[in-house]
Amino acid sequence: VGAPARMIKTRGEGDGNPDRRSASKNTEACWSIGIRVGSSPYGFDCWDMVCNPVLTQRDVSDVPAAFVADPFMIRQQNLWHMFFEVMNRRTGKGEIGWATSADGFEWKYQRIVLAEPFHLSYPYVFEWQNEYYMIPESHKTAEIRLYKAAPFPMEWAYASTLLTGSRFTDSSV
């Protein structure tokens, strides 16, 4: 890819409700995922080669999705992996979805890779010592939870609690 790409959350159809933590059964999705490119972090534009949004709730095939949000990309070998929040309309909780792309612009939804009895969002994924880890937001547990890929990217297992005692939001290392 010639220029750096950045994923953004884009407003889609719906009632424009900015409270994306709520998954009212009467509200259509108002968040989707788009790609923009640019020569610097200060100048991202739409690119004619990208058909935005690149992922919407309609792409999710294994759960009834109200919306998709909080994208995070990581490249392994010659394949891009995107992890993102999928608001499950049935449970009213966020789960972590996974999509793949060869070029970073055209994405194919794969499936939900992490669901818990509590809400998950903002799946911060990183590699350390040839292993992949995820720190999804799990503020309702009052913890920062670490998950390890087993194996990457399809399965994630709880590894450890990094911090407790507060409602941490969108934690990153």
Side-chain angles (χ1 to χ4, degrees):
V1 182
R6 179 182 76 145
M7 291 182 301
I8 58 167
K9 295 178 278 192
T10 61
R11 304 284 288 160
E13 303 93 22
D15 64 357
N17 181 354
D19 181 12
R20 58 183 194 77
R21 299 285 181 231
S22 170
S24 166
K25 293 183 188 249
N26 298 325
T27 303
E28 279 196 39
C30 62
W31 294 101
S32 59
I33 298 171
I35 299 285
R36 291 188 177 238
V37 298
S39 58
S40 81
Y42 302 106
F44 285 99
D45 294 313
C46 286
W47 192 36
D48 293 339
M49 300 295 291
V50 180
C51 182
N52 277 314
V54 296
L55 280 173
T56 73
Q57 85 280 4
R58 290 182 202 96
D59 295 305
V60 177
S61 55
D62 50 352
V63 299
F67 61 80
V68 296
D70 291 344
F72 192 90
M73 291 189 327
I74 192 164
R75 189 170 173 91
Q76 182 196 43
Q77 298 170 352
N78 293 323
L79 190 63
W80 284 101
H81 300 272
M82 181 193 304
F83 299 92
F84 51 94
E85 174 186 355
V86 174
M87 178 56 76
N88 186 322
R89 190 181 300 274
R90 186 180 320 117
T91 65
K93 293 186 203 99
E95 300 174 354
I96 304 303
W98 164 52
T100 56
S101 173
D103 61 9
F105 300 114
E106 291 184 35
W107 291 89
K108 182 175 192 278
Y109 177 78
Q110 300 297 324
R111 64 185 179 92
I112 297 295
V113 294
L114 182 58
E116 292 282 15
F118 44 85
H119 177 84
L120 297 172
S121 62
Y122 187 77
Y124 176 77
V125 177
F126 62 98
E127 179 186 3
W128 183 64
Q129 296 184 343
N130 297 318
E131 301 283 352
Y132 289 88
Y133 296 89
M134 179 190 302
I135 302 173
E137 178 190 292
S138 56
H139 72 277
K140 296 207 176 194
T141 66
E143 299 174 326
I144 297 177
R145 296 170 60 96
L146 178 70
Y147 293 80
K148 184 177 179 182
F152 181 84
M154 299 168 281
E155 302 291 330
W156 296 86
Y158 170 78
S160 181
T161 298
L162 303 177
L163 290 172
T164 62
S166 186
R167 291 190 176 245
F168 304 100
T169 304
D170 295 349
S171 300
S172 304
V173 175

